[in-house]
Amino acid sequence: MISRTRSVTLLLVATLLASCAAPPSDQPERARPAASAAGPPPPVALPLRGGLSPVFEHGPRETDRPMVALTFDADMTADQGPRAAGGERFDNPGLLDALRELRVPATVFMTGMWARTYPRQARAIDRDPLFEVANHSYSHHAFTADCHGLPTLPPDRARQEVTRAYAALREAGVRHPAPYFRFPGGCHDKRALRAVGETGVTTVQWDVVGGDAFNPDAEAIVRQVLDGVRPGSVVVLHCTLSAAPATERAVRRVVPELRRRGYRLVKVSELVSAELRAAGPKADTADAEAGTAGEPQNGPVRS
């Protein structure tokens, strides 16, 4: 009897020791990295048209749920560097905080000089899934003559302005700049579109002028945006406090009203993707429409 009891005891001990040595049933699962949720698709460019950068002004007008893209130009030129060093604000952290608080996706068109001056903010914008960073040239000089008083680039520097800006964005830590470009002032001609097209980017204009540049009247900005917006609209605003002091206040009024009207706020990349889906196979074969050779298309505002 004692021998039998001892045998049972030894068997139990062996079983316990074996169970301790064996890995728990969920250990293989813990060893595998957790599957991450699929993020949004990367921004896509529209196909070139006859070697020219395509010009995107708005997304599809007819959709089940209308979309609107708020875009913000972070302007800064080389001559403004000393002014920024002296305390003038060419950034607008309060605006970015408002967009985050309101959960507003947005596209920020950033000059290379702005990224060099505010690299920490450039990185923070890039890393925030609400936002995407796009190209607004390096120096914010105009690509055509007579563009809202902006200095004019020599023709042979047009392509370099795009590539140099992307280099500055990456040096600032922007890892995923979008393949979108906005001309300073919105001014362009066929020659400029060809030079920009060599970099493979899509030119993004707008169909709604926010009117915030050099405007301290937030209520006027709100009225201008809400009066002009339509399904698929691209709204141009600014992310520079010294030149657009009322933008944050206007955005805090505009966003709730757009949502009340049934609009979904999106980045430019979502509008571009929707446009590609709507165009279907025609997107690969359509020819360029850029006016007569060399005819400038000037944006309605300095941007």
Side-chain angles (χ1 to χ4, degrees), residues 209-226 237 241-254:
V209 177
D212 62 335
F214 309 105
N215 185 359
D217 187 346
E219 180 59 32
I221 299 165
V222 172
R223 288 196 305 269
Q224 188 155 322
V225 172
L226 296 178
L237 293 160
L241 188 59
S242 63
T247 308
E248 178 192 344
R249 286 180 285 133
V251 163
R252 289 185 180 276
R253 295 273 308 280
V254 164

Side-chain angles (χ1 to χ4, degrees), residues 25-267:
S25 60
D26 63 345
Q27 185 168 321
E29 290 298 323
R30 290 179 179 175
R32 288 197 294 265
S36 58
V44 295
L46 293 172
L48 299 182
R49 305 293 199 270
L52 308 182
S53 172
V55 180
F56 182 81
E57 295 181 346
H58 61 78
R61 297 299 194 190
E62 303 297 330
T63 59
D64 293 335
R65 186 180 178 192
M67 299 180 287
V68 170
L70 299 184
T71 69
F72 298 89
D73 291 353
D75 302 341
M76 192 168 178
T77 58
D79 65 304
Q80 291 171 335
R83 290 162 56 185
E88 187 171 348
R89 300 302 298 268
F90 294 94
D91 60 340
N92 194 340
L95 170 62
L96 296 172
D97 288 343
L99 294 171
R100 292 183 176 107
E101 177 185 328
L102 296 167
R103 303 301 299 166
V104 180
T107 304
V108 179
F109 287 86
M110 198 178 290
T111 65
M113 274 300 304
W114 195 97
R116 288 187 62 186
T117 304
Y118 303 107
R120 292 178 64 183
Q121 291 189 54
R123 288 193 297 275
I125 294 168
D126 175 62
R127 283 154 175 71
D128 193 322
L130 275 176
F131 306 137
E132 62 189 0
V133 176
N135 191 320
H136 195 32
S137 82
Y138 181 81
S139 67
H140 203 256
H141 289 184
F143 284 62
T144 66
D146 302 320
C147 180
H148 311 293
L150 293 173
T152 305
L153 284 171
D156 60 354
R157 273 185 50 195
R159 184 180 187 279
Q160 181 185 359
E161 273 289 296
V162 181
T163 57
R164 190 181 179 195
Y166 275 125
L169 292 176
R170 292 190 174 93
E171 287 169 7
V174 175
R175 298 171 297 183
H176 307 294
Y180 307 137
F181 177 78
R182 175 167 285 166
F183 285 100
C187 306
H188 62 276
D189 55 20
K190 195 169 185 177
R191 180 176 58 189
L193 290 174
R194 187 171 301 281
V196 170
E198 292 174 358
T199 69
V201 299
T202 293
T203 294
V204 176
Q205 296 284 89
W206 55 83
D207 66 328
V208 178
V209 177
D212 62 335
F214 309 105
N215 185 359
D217 187 346
E219 180 59 32
I221 299 165
V222 172
R223 288 196 305 269
Q224 188 155 322
V225 172
L226 296 178
D227 288 349
V229 76
R230 298 173 57 195
S233 281
V234 176
V235 182
V236 59
L237 293 160
H238 293 80
C239 189
T240 47
L241 188 59
S242 63
T247 308
E248 178 192 344
R249 286 180 285 133
V251 163
R252 289 185 180 276
R253 295 273 308 280
V254 164
V255 168
E257 178 60 21
L258 287 175
R259 287 174 170 157
R260 190 190 69 79
R261 296 183 184 185
Y263 286 105
R264 184 163 65 93
L265 297 166
V266 300
K267 305 172 194 174

Side-chain angles (χ1 to χ4, degrees), residues 267-283:
K267 305 172 194 174
V268 165
S269 56
E270 188 162 347
L271 281 186
V272 170
S273 295
E275 182 70 15
L276 282 169
R277 290 193 299 270
K282 295 184 294 183

Side-chain angles (χ1 to χ4, degrees), residues 284-301:
D284 294 327
T285 58
D287 199 7
E289 294 292 337
T292 58
E295 179 183 350
Q297 306 292 320
N298 288 350
V301 295

